[in-house]
Amino acid sequence: MKPIGKHSLLGASGEISDFQEILHYLDELILYDNMWDDGNSLGPKEVHSYLTRVMYNRRNKFNPLWNSLVLGGVKNGQKYLGTVSMIGVNFEDNHVATGFGNHLARPILRQEWHENLSFEDGVRLLEKCMRVLLYRDRSAVNKLQIAKITEDGVTISQPYSLKTYWEFSAFENPAQGAIGSW
Amino acid sequence: MFRNQYDTDVTTWSPAGRLFQVEYAMEAVKQGSAAIGLRSKTHVVLGCVNKANSELSSHQKKIFKVDDHIGVAIAGLTADGRVLSRYMRNECINYSFTYESPLPVGRLVVQLADKAQVCTQRSWKRPYGVGLLVAGLDESGAHLYYNCPSGNYFEYQAFAIGSRSQAAKTYLERRFENFTDSSRDDLVKDAITAIRETLQGETLKSSICTIAVVGVGEPFHVLDQGTVQQIIDTFEIAAEQEDPATEPDAATGQEAATEQGTAADQGGSTDEGAAPMDI
């Protein structure tokens, strides 16, 4: 996850080297934006559109940037959250996820998200989703960071881990009800 | 201005440090029919005097919509103006496509100015012979800019260009302090009045002038003849109460003597932000 400009934050999953390439493009974009020095600045919506163009154009050349991007930000009181996939599919929503998160986390968010979540409640909700992902996604590790974006800027927490419990009886013999299959 | 041996190429400096071709291009702007612009915190109004070749022909289009939030009024070589409008429209639409957001007018104006500057530094080009009053919105509100053939641009609270524009400028100078907080309708009335000043006694009718408005929540559009005529009619009723405002300016209007004196004129009185003078 990296802050972009004054107003946005970009998170990605997938090929990290491609993410670094995207950050390089965005550095240049933000630099030119700052060089205008005219009181206008690129907000999260503009950055999201720009990234959509980049991802889609690469996909058209059969040379995609292998990432799923999540772009969030706040500008002039307006909150924004959007996502772009490696093939250029983009949309905004109240909650987005990449990869397994779409299958495991979003149903939880659909049930429990509402307009007036406080920051603490939001973090608790995200941790709940991350815990499910930790248990169920074999490629997950128990280390996460939470980023907060407000009108005043972006802060990213230090990495921390979630409390887990692996002694559930169902975890003991996972293949019990499925002998002969994987 | 008199012919001299330094005015053949745009890339030749005079000993006094002037580029005559560029200055001649600015003369072309002064010969065009008048265009005026004024702005408040939230709205910008552009107006121009319609000039037609003959009674039989239609009048030249001098106000162009560049995007929902930007419009331009031109004075001078209208063909050059059309080309630059096309450039501006292109820039706006490309920006909108990539960023899904309107191009801030301040940035468009700089791009336009840089484009004009190129033509003052290539021996195989000539400067654009058109002055543009660019009206638009960006994050910080409503803006009015004037782009010169020299590649300079200035921001204004109100301005007038073209022939007999001095009369309009005098009118605007008297009133510009109130413009920031003017209502949209008052701004339009002031614009039409300023146009009337340039007409020097000719009757003001809606067929002679074109008015366009852009504002926060109001996309750029040209007001239709009927609306303009209605506003003009309200003037005629109040006309007896108004002081005769026109000044004879046939002489001062051309500002023939020191061209850069005029830049000082324009810059000093109605200049909004501190901007470098034309040389």
Side-chain angles (χ1 to χ4, degrees):
Chain A
M1 289 193 297
K2 281 261 142 56
I4 310 291
K6 292 187 286 245
H7 309 282
S8 328
L9 175 90
L10 177 66
S13 74
E15 178 62 66
I16 298 298
S17 60
D18 281 350
F19 179 53
Q20 289 169 335
E21 183 75 358
I22 290 172
L23 292 178
H24 178 73
Y25 288 150
L26 288 175
D27 276 343
E28 236 188 87
L29 183 72
I30 299 293
L31 177 69
Y32 280 115
D33 189 41
N34 291 338
M35 272 165 55
W36 281 105
D37 197 20
D38 64 349
N40 293 303
S41 54
L42 293 172
K45 184 181 177 60
E46 288 81 16
V47 177
H48 184 224
S49 270
Y50 173 78
L51 289 171
T52 307
R53 292 289 113 242
V54 170
M55 302 300 273
Y56 183 66
N57 278 311
R58 290 289 297 254
R59 161 263 198 203
N60 283 338
K61 296 195 280 201
F62 276 92
N63 182 202
L65 290 159
W66 209 279
N67 292 115
S68 292
L69 305 171
V70 170
L71 199 293
V74 181
K75 186 175 178 201
N76 295 338
Q78 301 269 56
K79 296 174 287 203
Y80 189 88
L81 181 63
T83 178
V84 194
S85 77
M86 70 189 236
I87 53 171
V89 177
N90 75 303
F91 53 91
E92 290 167 54
D93 208 336
N94 296 313
H95 44 83
V96 295
T98 64
F100 260 102
N102 279 307
H103 301 107
L104 299 175
R106 291 204 70 201
I108 302 177
L109 292 166
R110 274 183 215 121
Q111 290 276 57
E112 309 199 10
W113 179 90
H114 61 87
E115 190 69 60
N116 300 311
L117 278 171
S118 69
F119 177 65
E120 291 72 28
D121 284 341
V123 173
R124 225 168 289 140
L125 183 54
L126 279 178
E127 282 180 358
K128 180 173 182 176
C129 296
M130 296 304 283
R131 187 171 286 110
V132 172
L133 286 164
L134 175 60
Y135 282 131
R136 295 291 173 180
D137 182 356
R138 60 103 189 125
S139 61
V141 290
N142 194 0
K143 192 177 192 181
L144 73 144
Q145 293 173 274
I146 300 276
K148 176 181 187 182
I149 313 131
T150 60
E151 191 69 52
D152 307 316
V154 178
T155 42
I156 306 181
S157 73
Q158 287 295 18
Y160 65 101
S161 38
L162 297 167
K163 277 221 280 282
T164 55
Y165 180 71
W166 293 99
E167 309 316 315
F168 288 113
S169 55
F171 287 172
E172 260 158 55
N173 189 5
Q176 185 168 50
I179 298 163
S181 76
W182 50 276
Chain B
M1 254 181 289
F2 300 112
R3 275 230 71 191
N4 53 64
Q5 55 181 169
Y6 307 109
D7 67 357
T8 310
D9 285 322
V10 73
T11 49
T12 304
W13 288 98
S14 84
R18 292 153 69 160
L19 289 169
F20 280 104
Q21 278 295 307
V22 176
E23 294 179 22
Y24 294 165
M26 312 224 287
E27 256 328 282
V29 177
K30 294 180 200 156
Q31 304 297 339
S33 59
I36 59 110
L38 22 86
R39 71 156 165 130
S40 71
K41 232 187 331 228
T42 53
H43 286 80
V44 194
V45 180
L46 293 174
C48 71
V49 171
N50 295 338
K51 185 160 68 171
N53 265 341
S54 73
E55 273 195 26
L56 301 166
S57 77
S58 67
H59 62 81
Q60 279 195 315
K61 185 166 173 191
K62 283 163 50 83
I63 295 194
F64 298 91
K65 174 172 174 166
V66 167
D67 201 339
D68 283 334
H69 66 297
I70 300 183
V72 61
I74 63 173
L77 267 50
T78 33
D80 283 3
R82 250 196 345 268
V83 161
L84 289 177
S85 302
R86 189 168 56 229
Y87 169 75
M88 291 164 76
R89 285 172 177 165
N90 235 352
E91 291 299 302
C92 280
I93 216 170
N94 285 340
Y95 188 93
S96 276
F97 175 67
T98 310
Y99 301 101
E100 265 186 64
S101 196
L103 174 59
V105 63
R107 298 188 182 188
L108 178 62
V109 156
V110 173
Q111 284 173 257
L112 196 54
D114 289 345
K115 191 173 165 68
Q117 191 278 341
V118 169
C119 299
T120 67
Q121 209 173 7
R122 306 274 182 271
S123 59
W124 62 90
K125 287 181 178 257
R126 65 156 177 83
Y128 288 106
V130 64
L132 303 113
L133 282 171
V134 184
L137 308 171
D138 70 16
E139 262 182 67
S140 38
H143 297 270
L144 174 69
Y145 293 92
Y146 171 53
N147 277 70
C148 252
S150 61
N152 271 329
Y153 69 97
F154 305 99
E155 180 162 11
Y156 285 98
Q157 189 71 32
F159 198 48
I161 56 178
S163 72
R164 297 190 287 215
S165 56
Q166 186 54 49
K169 267 189 249 171
T170 314
Y171 172 78
L172 294 169
E173 270 170 45
R174 265 187 279 134
R175 309 276 294 250
F176 80 95
E177 260 141 6
N178 303 324
F179 289 161
T180 313
D181 298 311
S182 256
S183 73
R184 172 210 186 272
D185 293 330
D186 283 340
L187 219 56
V188 173
K189 283 207 195 91
D190 276 320
I192 298 180
T193 316
I195 298 266
R196 188 176 59 176
E197 300 298 312
T198 68
L199 292 174
Q200 295 291 88
E202 244 178 276
T203 11
L204 174 67
K205 349 182 246 260
S206 62
S207 53
I208 274 195
C209 65
T210 308
I211 305 285
V213 186
V214 64
V216 176
E218 185 176 355
F220 184 88
H221 64 287
V222 174
L223 300 183
D224 75 291
Q225 296 275 55
T227 321
V228 176
Q229 189 60 50
Q230 275 177 343
I231 303 179
I232 293 175
D233 291 337
T234 62
F235 285 173
E236 306 308 302
I237 298 167
E240 295 85 67
Q241 277 122 40
E242 266 190 37
D243 298 333
T246 52
E247 327 182 325
D249 73 279
T252 58
Q254 292 320 307
E255 287 139 335
T258 41
E259 328 50 48
Q260 298 328 92
T262 56
D265 247 349
Q266 303 160 5
S269 39
T270 51
D271 204 81
E272 174 67 352
M277 294 299 175
D278 262 341
I279 52 138

